[in-house]
Amino acid sequence: MVQRTRLQDAECPVARSLDAIGDWWSLLIVRDAFDGLKRFSEFQRNLGLAKNILSTRLRQLVEHQIFELVPVSEGSAYQEYVLTEKGLGLFPLIVGLRQWGEAFYFAAGEAHSQLVDRQHGQPVKALELRAADGRLLGPHDCVRLPARG
Amino acid sequence: MVQRTRLQDAECPVARSLDAIGDWWSLLIVRDAFDGLKRFSEFQRNLGLAKNILSTRLRQLVEHQIFELVPVSEGSAYQEYVLTEKGLGLFPLIVGLRQWGEAFYFAAGEAHSQLVDRQHGQPVKALELRAADGRLLGPHDCVRLPARG
DNA sequence: TCCTTCTGGTTGCATAATGAAACCAGTTGT
DNA sequence: ACAACTGGTTTCATTATGCAACCAGAAGGA
């Protein structure tokens, strides 16, 4: 069993998320899926991780219903891994990782892959957190309320 | 050395981010820091992880300049861990983890801690990704362009 | 001052996860 | 029919994790 449950704060959504996708490879696999990769061998080639590890990770991701196994074409014995709605829900997270990396791990003029709006080819804006009334919120403008119970 | 560099895609900001904070505990430590925790013993008590592991993680996070060690008060021998600007930059990511967890790992009426706007005590809105012109963007509205080089 | 507790670790050792390479059965292409 | 590809599993060595014990310096109390 790879997933250790961090029971101490099982009531925290952050902890539950990390229990599902908080390991070294899962989010990179999901990122590749957003880039259109679907097959076992594609992930393996692109990430360069051992096949047994990939096998384990994909199985867990399927168990968590982040990926779904669907036949490549009707009648084919081969299957491909496609993101479910839940998996697609990870999009903001991947974008968040990307934007933080861009901001802090690249030198000024250093080239990196870029996420652009498909319609106009323009770079996307930074993710923003807003209040119910639309005000932009930073880390200090929020508080975490413990679960009522 | 805990950090293995995933050289295959070192040009990808997502990979660089995960190299820094992609392990089991780092983001939970950062989450706790956003909740106001600062001292070694506070993190240890709240997360329930072994002290040697916490020690290693905090050292790495300081090396990565996500935390900064500052004296508890002037002249004190004790120090506390406070988030740098770079560390504060992880806020959208933590929020993303939280919102995804809320959406997919909690039953309908299940209680969980909640992130609210400090001014009005209202729950914050879901993170949104927008195009340069302000259009809301989903996973299928974006493309990743490889680094030009 | 002496004694005790708290803090922030380190060290050793057992256990669990990771990774490289070899191997393999079923499928597809020629 | 044959060769190559796909999607794995197995074995084994290496590495990380976690628990418990230990420890030095600081703070607090009598």
Side-chain angles (χ1 to χ4, degrees), chain B:
Chain B
M1 180 89 67
V2 159
Q3 324 283 69
R4 339 120 209 254
T5 307
R6 279 160 287 221
L7 286 173
Q8 293 249 355
D9 48 8
E11 83 286 344
C12 174
V14 178
R16 292 204 189 174
S17 293
L18 286 172
D19 242 20
I21 43 93
D23 74 279
W24 281 101
W25 291 108
S26 295
L27 283 175
L28 284 173
I29 295 171
V30 170
R31 175 206 62 175
D32 277 5
F34 278 119
D35 291 339
L37 273 57
K38 294 174 186 207
R39 301 288 288 268
F40 186 94
S41 53
E42 291 177 316
F43 292 118
Q44 207 245 320
R45 199 169 22 248
N46 195 56
L47 294 171
L49 83 173
K51 295 204 288 180
N52 50 351
I53 308 296
L54 177 58
S55 177
T56 306
R57 287 291 167 270
L58 283 172
R59 193 181 315 124
Q60 291 168 348
L61 290 169
V62 168
E63 279 166 13
H64 270 277
Q65 304 179 42
I66 288 164
F67 282 103
E68 198 174 19
L69 266 174
V70 307
V72 163
S73 58
E74 45 196 326
S76 169
Y78 292 147
Q79 300 190 294
E80 51 191 23
Y81 295 86
V82 307
L83 290 167
T84 60
E85 272 306 306
K86 182 171 171 181
L88 290 171
L90 288 168
F91 187 61
L93 245 163
I94 302 282
V95 174
L97 279 168
R98 157 175 290 279
Q99 294 183 342
W100 186 73
E102 285 171 353
F104 295 102
Y105 285 99
F106 283 82
E110 197 178 355
H112 53 74
S113 66
Q114 217 172 7
L115 194 67
V116 302
D117 162 21
R118 189 187 291 275
Q119 254 185 55
H120 300 107
Q122 294 299 313
V124 302
K125 292 212 293 190
L127 283 172
E128 333 186 293
L129 182 66
R130 293 186 178 273
D133 60 19
R135 269 174 307 119
L136 197 59
L137 297 174
H140 301 302
D141 305 317
C142 303
V143 202
R144 182 169 72 123
L145 294 186
R148 64 223 147 74

Side-chain angles (χ1 to χ4, degrees), chain A residues 60-77:
Chain A
Q60 291 169 349
L61 289 169
V62 169
E63 278 166 13
H64 271 277
Q65 303 178 44
I66 288 163
F67 282 104
E68 198 174 18
L69 265 174
V70 306
V72 163
S73 57
E74 44 196 328
S76 169

Side-chain angles (χ1 to χ4, degrees), chain A residues 5-59:
Chain A
T5 306
R6 279 162 287 222
L7 286 173
Q8 292 252 353
D9 47 10
E11 83 287 346
C12 174
V14 178
R16 291 205 189 174
S17 293
L18 287 172
D19 241 20
I21 45 90
D23 74 279
W24 281 101
W25 290 109
S26 295
L27 284 175
L28 285 173
I29 295 172
V30 171
R31 176 207 60 176
D32 278 4
F34 277 119
D35 291 340
L37 272 58
K38 293 175 186 203
R39 301 289 288 269
F40 185 94
S41 54
E42 292 178 315
F43 292 117
Q44 207 246 320
R45 201 171 17 249
N46 195 57
L47 294 172
L49 84 174
K51 294 204 289 181
N52 50 350
I53 308 297
L54 177 59
S55 178
T56 305
R57 288 290 166 272
L58 283 172
R59 194 179 317 125

Side-chain angles (χ1 to χ4, degrees), chain A residues 10 23 56 80 96-97 143:
Chain A
D23 74 279
T56 305
E80 51 191 23
L97 279 167
V143 202

